[in-house]
Amino acid sequence: MQWINKPLNIDDEQFIYSPRLPRNVVVDSIVNDLDRAITNLPLKRNAESQRIHKEFAMGLKARICLFEGTWEKYHAGTAFGVANSNGDKYLNLAQTTAKAIMDLNSLQLDNIASGAVDGYFNLFNQVSYAGSGEIMFWGAYNQTAGIITNWQNYYQEGSSGGGSIGLSKSLVDDYLCTDGKPISVSANYKGDLTLANIVQNRDPRLRQSIFINNDVVVRNVGGTNNPRIFTYPALLAGSPNTSGFQIKKGLNTDFYQDSRNGLGGTDGVIYMRYAEILLIYAEAKAELGTFNQNDADISINLLRRRVGMPNLNVSDIAIDSKWLFPALSPIINEVRRERRVELACEGHRFFDIVRWAAAPQTIVGKHPLGAKVTEFVGAIPNLRVGTNVFVDQNDYIKPYGNIAGIKDAGYSFRVNRDYLLAVPVTEINKNPTVLKQNPGWN
């Protein structure tokens, strides 16, 4: 990777023949660039809607520093490590920058009214976020201009489509029960025989993220009062749901947001929200070993309070036999759980896994599972277990149960190679004496 701080022509020799720089040198240059932007940009309240502002630049800096700090910490001593690494430097920058955003008091969580129903769910289905206190940067669609989204049609159309995706059992199991305890120890857990059982007595964010029977998918179909109702996941659709846990998060039930209305949807797309800043602050502090109850109260517990969940009590964390990272501290495990739950389906998970060097715990040889198939047999016409839906020995859906190379061995991920992509050979051939291939790809 190069960092060039002046305009170049495409055939400029400095562009072609400059040596590759250490990743922390590039990150330092990015941080310096962002610092200049932070100095010169207006606050969000003084910026035009959908224009870059100070808080967003600060958020981007915090996000990048958390990534680099944890990358350097967890990849130390490997082929992906950084010479003269100082991950704590970036973790400190992440937490101080996140805290500076918090101290501006210009942002806040949306939908936090006491007893608000579906406050989390309704955060992700708005046409405009111009008045939002939480959404830091977003993009708008415009039917008149022909700039539309087909999200509703492909991902959330009841029995007619599931976007060829579905939540994993691993994610669903990570949601706490309403007593604040994990399912491995909570007496409130009702088991997973049905979708209704799974969401009962659980963190409301789970119920607001997956469909269960009789959920409304689309209201006012064709201008009538007839809603389209969810019955069972679209396991056999042309664009099937893969796990039985069909994504509800992001659903707008307005018929005029359904692409089959002939116009297309216009729900705004979220690029950064204040909840992520609170989670960056919490994780950086946890990684530095300085996370305390006050830190929990000004970050994670604000997120839990929005959905009516008990506070995280730092001195009384229940030991979870299903922690993905049992070698790490309870605090780090719980902070990572909160991040996974709050930011589910928002595009962060893979990047979290690579910066934590966590492929052995989350990818290598793993068989992703879904819901128990029992509830769907006989209810979904033509569903045939072992023919068009595959399960493990405990009747959990195996999305890749019929895919050669995965159904037996599980996911393949080479930990000495796959944390980085290969450098294109065409680029190496332009500069073979300087530009080298990434580890493991030779």
Side-chain angles (χ1 to χ4, degrees), residues 158-429:
S159 60
S160 61
S164 298
I165 57 173
L167 298 192
S168 69
K169 181 178 184 295
S170 172
L171 170 57
V172 170
D173 285 352
D174 245 359
Y175 288 80
L176 298 171
C177 291
T178 49
D179 57 4
K181 297 178 181 179
I183 64 173
S184 63
V185 299
S186 176
N188 288 353
Y189 181 51
K190 297 301 181 182
D192 56 11
L193 187 61
T194 68
L195 296 177
N197 287 151
I198 287 169
V199 301
Q200 188 175 357
N201 298 338
R202 301 290 292 281
D203 184 327
R205 286 173 289 190
L206 175 58
R207 176 66 183 90
Q208 295 174 40
S209 296
I210 65 171
F211 281 106
I212 69 170
N213 294 13
N214 297 316
D215 277 346
V216 173
V217 180
V218 182
R219 299 183 188 276
N220 303 320
V221 177
T224 72
N225 291 324
N226 301 318
R228 186 178 297 130
I229 301 297
F230 181 88
T231 53
Y232 290 99
L235 295 173
L236 304 181
S239 177
N241 172 261
T242 57
S243 70
F245 298 123
Q246 192 155 326
I247 299 174
K248 180 180 177 183
K249 181 176 177 178
L251 174 69
N252 187 324
T253 61
D254 183 356
F255 174 71
Y256 293 98
Q257 291 302 319
D258 186 314
S259 62
R260 287 181 293 183
N261 62 23
L263 298 174
T266 58
D267 281 352
V269 56
I270 300 170
Y271 295 115
M272 181 177 288
R273 59 190 182 96
Y274 184 51
E276 182 189 349
I277 304 305
L278 300 180
L279 291 164
I280 289 171
Y281 174 77
E283 185 180 344
K285 294 279 286 185
E287 293 289 355
L288 289 165
T290 60
F291 186 82
N292 58 35
Q293 188 61 50
N294 181 67
D295 295 322
D297 291 341
I298 63 175
S299 59
I300 284 175
N301 288 339
L302 296 181
L303 300 173
R304 292 192 176 188
R305 199 171 303 151
R306 166 160 57 191
V307 294
M309 283 291 289
N311 285 341
L312 171 64
N313 186 340
V314 173
S315 64
D316 186 25
I317 295 177
I319 302 301
D320 186 0
S321 61
K322 294 186 177 182
W323 274 333
L324 289 175
F325 313 103
L328 301 180
S329 71
I331 288 175
I332 289 179
N333 272 282
E334 288 307 311
V335 168
R336 289 186 179 185
R337 182 203 301 272
E338 194 71 26
R339 180 179 175 88
R340 187 184 194 188
V341 165
E342 176 67 26
L343 301 180
C345 309
E346 295 181 47
H348 296 275
R349 184 63 175 174
F350 177 74
F351 298 102
D352 289 344
I353 288 171
V354 298
R355 66 186 175 88
W356 295 333
Q361 298 92 338
T362 59
I363 300 177
V364 179
K366 303 299 181 183
H367 295 273
L369 299 176
K372 276 189 177 291
V373 77
T374 314
E375 180 182 10
F376 312 133
V377 175
I380 300 178
N382 301 317
L383 186 151
R384 302 290 183 268
V385 175
T387 300
N388 51 21
V389 172
F390 299 88
V391 300
D392 74 352
Q393 66 274 19
N394 297 311
D395 290 330
Y396 292 108
I397 294 171
K398 288 183 70 174
Y400 301 103
N402 195 39
I403 305 299
I406 298 179
K407 64 178 181 179
D408 297 321
Y411 281 145
S412 175
F413 186 102
R414 300 185 188 181
V415 295
N416 63 344
R417 185 193 74 177
D418 293 341
Y419 286 116
L420 293 176
L421 297 176
V423 178
V425 174
T426 53
E427 297 303 314
I428 295 176
N429 289 340

Side-chain angles (χ1 to χ4, degrees), residues 77-151:
T78 74
F80 305 101
V82 178
N84 303 312
S85 173
N86 186 4
D88 282 2
K89 163 187 166 182
Y90 297 107
L91 292 171
N92 273 305
L93 279 173
Q95 66 97 0
T96 56
T97 305
K99 186 60 164 59
I101 297 171
M102 295 155 68
D103 289 343
L104 285 173
N105 293 318
S106 59
L107 300 167
Q108 63 180 12
L109 298 179
D110 288 347
N111 306 336
I112 57 175
S114 177
V117 177
D118 287 350
Y120 177 79
F121 172 75
N122 287 326
L123 181 62
F124 304 100
N125 56 12
Q126 303 301 304
V127 171
S128 172
Y129 293 99
S132 171
E134 178 169 352
I135 306 308
M136 298 169 64
F137 197 62
W138 65 286
Y141 291 95
N142 187 306
Q143 288 177 338
T144 302
I147 304 171
I148 60 170
T149 173
N150 291 320
W151 165 258

